[in-house]
Amino acid sequence: MLTGDCYEIPGGLTGLSFGLLPCEACEKIETMPFFGKIYGAGISWKGRLNGSAIFILPPGVELENHDLVKFFIRQVAGFLSRKEAEGALKESEEKFSVAFHSSAALMAISTKQDGKFIDVNQTFLETLGFSRDEIVGKRAPEMNIFVHPEDRLRAIRKLEETGEAKNLEVVVRTRDGSVLYGLYSAENIMIGEVPCFLTTMVDITEQKILEKEMEFHEQEVMQFSRSLDMAIRKLNLLSSITRHDINNQLTVLMGYLAILEMEQADATSEEYFRKATTAAQRISAMIQFTKTYESIGVMAPAWQDIRALADTAAKEIPLGQVTFENQLPAGAEVLADPLIAKVFYNLLENAIRYGEGISFIRLSADLPEGYLVIICENDGNSIPDEEKEKIFERGYGKNSGLGLFLSREILSITGFTIRETGKPGTGARFEITVPADAYRVAGMPSPAP
């Protein structure tokens, strides 16, 4: 039936109704005087059957003029096709009109030939402050809307050359003279038989103002950063010179104390010389502390292999008869301040210095859900509960009291924590907790932060 040709439908009314009408009813109708042969033709367009034409002839009459019938069917199909297209066009125009007038962007339709505005949406009028009568029928150059008229010409030229003009930054002027920034786009459309432009502009004025403010503040921050950097460099230079001079004088002082101690015959003065020497050594250690503390956080955090750090620290410390066990996983890395190497050194050095009767130091790791724990334990002296926090305070301890304080400060730069969790009679146990986004293990996916 798609061809539109007319054919006799065998089976009478029963065949025509595809059995949807009762056979008894079909037989009664077929006995009526007007009922003879039945012919049918499909009414189709765009390759789709959209209806049919049925011819019922009186008894004894044959269908003639097949060409005329075919012409009639095709005319009907063409008419219905146009009606469908008109309906679709009308529906499309209604949808376009709704989208056009309700859009939050500034939209306008202007003729291609002379640039006259045919229509603008409500956002266009409200944003630029014009009435519809002031805009429709006028040309954009007459309204002095574009601060830089070449912006519109550039968009039209790009549209003609490439077939599209999208998100071009433009500056427009409102009715009261205020300036707005926008992203301008243009498309070719037909209004009836008239070639036109459909233009759209998204207002980005607030964004531009924010960008300018951010640029201004960035310049302020950069200036402040340069000033701060200069001040820090001056302070570091002063600290470096001061430390150098004090260390030189301490070296001289300790040398003279050693000479005097050797030349002093009075044994009662030996204790005073020993205390003076110890005090000088403590002063030297404090000066060294200021140098280390000054370096914390200066360099950017970096990925470092914790197993290699532990091995390096163990080589720098005289272990004597103490067994060192490095059970940290191969390929495990932490994102930490480069001075974390000092932390491993301090933990091992403190264990050797204070762990009376110590026979081993063990470094291992645990992976609870969401973070990494680095464990340093030994079988030396246990730390009493009342001292578990005090040992991390500056100046607390039997020596300089700075090692564990420095360790906590270094670790805190990248969000690590350290605590002592050893139980009485089992030795000391330090746990360093590493956040989820600051560790990785080769061949094993790290938990998401």
Side-chain angles (χ1 to χ4, degrees):
M1 295 184 74
L2 285 171
T3 62
D5 294 329
C6 196
Y7 297 97
E8 182 181 352
I9 300 175
L13 187 58
T14 304
L16 176 65
S17 68
F18 295 97
L20 296 178
L21 291 176
C23 292
E24 296 81 2
C26 293
E27 289 173 358
K28 286 182 180 180
I29 295 172
E30 288 173 353
T31 60
M32 293 182 179
F34 67 84
F35 202 94
K37 289 185 177 181
I38 300 175
Y39 286 83
I43 300 175
S44 61
W45 59 90
K46 296 182 181 177
R48 186 177 74 249
L49 187 65
N50 294 282
S52 61
I54 304 298
F55 301 91
I56 301 176
L57 305 181
V61 178
E62 297 292 334
L63 183 67
E64 299 176 354
N65 300 316
H66 279 262
D67 290 341
L68 183 60
V69 171
K70 185 183 295 186
F71 175 75
F72 167 73
I73 295 299
R74 290 180 178 173
Q75 288 294 103
V76 171
F79 171 76
L80 293 177
S81 176
R82 286 193 297 274
K83 292 295 289 184
E84 182 183 60
E86 289 171 3
L89 178 61
K90 183 178 180 181
E91 183 181 356
S92 177
E93 288 175 348
E94 289 174 352
K95 289 181 179 178
F96 172 80
S97 178
V98 171
F100 180 83
H101 289 288
S102 63
S103 175
L106 287 73
M107 299 186 73
I109 300 173
S110 57
T111 59
K112 212 171 192 181
Q113 183 176 1
D114 53 17
K116 285 184 179 179
F117 288 110
I118 296 176
D119 197 7
V120 294
N121 68 353
Q122 192 61 29
T123 305
F124 184 102
L125 298 174
E126 291 176 357
T127 304
L128 299 184
F130 293 101
S131 67
R132 188 172 298 278
D133 292 338
E134 290 175 311
I135 288 291
V136 174
K138 303 292 194 312
R139 297 173 64 247
E142 295 176 25
M143 303 305 299
N144 199 28
I145 291 176
F146 288 88
V147 174
H148 308 295
E150 61 271 18
D151 287 344
R152 179 178 178 274
L153 299 175
R154 175 168 55 95
I156 293 173
R157 186 167 57 252
K158 186 172 183 181
L159 179 63
E160 294 298 317
E161 291 174 355
T162 65
E164 65 174 19
K166 294 182 178 179
N167 297 328
L168 305 177
E169 193 168 306
V170 297
V171 187
V172 297
R173 186 182 292 107
T174 65
R175 193 176 190 280
D176 63 8
S178 303
V179 171
L180 301 178
Y181 295 86
L183 292 179
Y184 187 77
S185 302
E187 295 181 29
N188 290 309
I189 62 169
M190 294 292 293
I191 304 297
E193 301 296 326
V194 181
C196 296
F197 292 124
L198 170 65
T199 57
T200 306
M201 191 190 88
V202 178
D203 187 358
I204 59 168
T205 304
E206 290 187 5
Q207 179 183 330
K208 292 294 290 185
I209 292 173
L210 182 60
E211 287 176 0
K212 289 182 180 294
E213 288 180 351
M214 289 178 64
E215 184 179 345
F216 173 75
H217 290 309
E218 284 176 3
Q219 291 175 352
E220 280 190 325
V221 170
M222 288 178 64
Q223 181 61 39
F224 175 76
S225 177
R226 284 193 290 268
S227 300
L228 181 61
D229 184 57
M230 180 65 71
I232 290 173
R233 277 190 285 155
K234 288 181 178 179
L235 287 173
N236 287 345
L237 179 60
L238 177 62
S239 299
S240 176
I241 294 172
T242 304
R243 277 195 301 269
H244 181 268
D245 290 346
I246 293 175
N247 271 325
N248 285 344
Q249 296 303 314
L250 277 173
T251 302
V252 173
L253 174 61
M254 292 171 71
Y256 281 127
L257 284 172
I259 294 172
L260 287 173
E261 185 179 5
M262 287 187 295
E263 293 181 353
Q264 178 59 248
D266 188 357
T268 58
S269 301
E270 183 178 344
E271 178 68 15
Y272 297 114
F273 282 114
R274 187 180 62 79
K275 288 183 177 181
T277 302
T278 300
Q281 290 171 344
R282 283 179 176 268
I283 292 172
S284 179
M286 290 177 184
I287 292 172
Q288 181 60 34
F289 163 79
T290 63
K291 181 179 180 181
T292 304
Y293 194 78
E294 183 182 88
S295 303
I296 297 176
V298 172
M299 297 180 66
W303 288 103
Q304 299 175 74
D305 188 311
I306 55 176
R307 184 178 178 87
L309 289 174
D311 285 336
T312 301
K315 291 176 183 177
E316 295 177 354
I317 294 172
L319 295 172
Q321 300 301 313
V322 177
T323 302
F324 174 67
E325 301 175 21
N326 188 352
Q327 298 179 3
L328 292 171
E333 296 180 325
V334 294
L335 183 63
D337 188 293
L339 285 176
I340 193 174
K342 186 76 173 174
V343 175
F344 283 86
Y345 178 88
N346 285 341
L347 290 175
L348 270 60
E349 200 260 349
N350 276 6
I352 297 296
R353 183 187 295 271
Y354 303 118
E356 296 178 6
I358 183 174
S359 65
F360 76 87
I361 302 173
R362 181 187 302 119
L363 280 168
S364 60
D366 190 15
L367 278 171
E369 186 176 353
Y371 54 93
L372 168 72
V373 178
I374 301 171
I375 302 165
C376 178
E377 54 189 336
N378 62 72
D379 61 346
N381 291 341
S382 298
I383 297 175
D385 290 344
E386 63 274 11
E387 295 185 13
K388 288 184 183 296
E389 276 300 314
K390 290 182 180 179
I391 58 176
F392 295 103
E393 296 176 2
R394 181 170 174 257
Y396 188 85
K398 298 176 182 178
N399 193 29
S400 66
L402 299 175
L404 291 177
F405 169 76
L406 267 177
S407 297
R408 176 171 278 185
E409 290 292 301
I410 292 168
L411 293 172
S412 67
I413 291 292
T414 45
F416 296 14
T417 60
I418 183 172
R419 60 189 183 129
E420 205 286 327
T421 60
K423 295 180 180 179
T426 61
R429 176 187 171 99
F430 291 88
E431 293 185 0
I432 299 172
T433 301
V434 182
D437 57 351
Y439 82 90
R440 61 189 183 190
V441 180
M444 175 180 172
S446 300

